[in-house]
Amino acid sequence: MAVDRVKLVDVGPRDGLQNEKQPVDAAHKIELVHRLQAAGVREIEVTSFVSPKWVPQMADNAQVMAGIRREAGVRHSVLTPNLKGLEAALSAPREQWPDEIVVFGAASEAFSQRNINCSIEVSMERFRPVVAAAHAQGIKVRSAISCAVGCPYQGEVTPDEVERVVVLMKGIGVDHCGVADTIGVGTPRRVQAAMARALKHYPIAEVSGHFHDTYGQALANIYACLEMGIATFDASIAGLGGCPYAKGATGNVSTEDVVYMLHGLGIETGIDLDRLVDAGAYISEVLGRAPVSRAAKALLAKRAA
């Protein structure tokens, strides 16, 4: 395995908390970001600038961005699904701007229609001015291609469908291609087939994986990507965020589990696992539940013994 260091993007504060039923106030979100930074996490997806009508959990986006303590070497990203969202993110003083923005497109036509009420191609045209405006301000743009191996509406998604969206994202100038198994149905070979299509159009340093653990396959899928040389992955502290398309299922793979596996493989992350577990325990207590992470549960039990 050629990978000796992995970059982890913790999406818990945004993608995780956005999909938790219980709302979390801005002060706790800010504290979570600070605890992740203290644990050595250097890429954090903080919030999303979307209409509070549709995503009330992120209505405090500006307050959170204003409250986080910026540290050298830490990059903060936000989701901006349209130009209005980007303009809102950039309406704050420059020191509160995100370092990177994220746009989401689907590999499934059915998902695109059901989720954002438009075709994949129309969604790309909506993103085009967002990408241009971000670049004009020197801000990097990362994409997330959702439902890259399976869709709750159409079922299996083919590598050809994934590549179509990769090409469209490249065409509008997106800098980084994230490939996401949104409903967690992927298995290693299917995931590798999808990732291979992204690697045809983006350098390996600008391709990442985002895996849900609905069927318990997330760590195996990350390992399969490591075999390909991919070294950037999303993960969510304490496994925050359920899977909205599979009732009762777990959502994002937990950062603690990923770090435990990577360290066991001798791969560096720059993250202190004990402090990471503390961060997960903190936000889990705020939510009034145990961490979803198996590694965190085991380590917390070992401490208590």
Side-chain angles (χ1 to χ4, degrees), residues 115-138:
N115 197 41
I116 55 175
N117 301 311
C118 71
S119 69
I120 291 170
E121 290 203 353
V122 169
S123 74
M124 292 299 149
E125 290 309 310
R126 290 180 183 173
F127 295 148
R128 188 184 296 275
V130 179
V131 175
H135 284 166
Q137 298 296 341

Side-chain angles (χ1 to χ4, degrees), residues 80-89 126-134:
T80 57
N82 50 42
L83 198 53
K84 187 175 180 181
L86 178 65
E87 289 168 349
R126 290 180 183 173
F127 295 148
R128 188 184 296 275
V130 179
V131 175

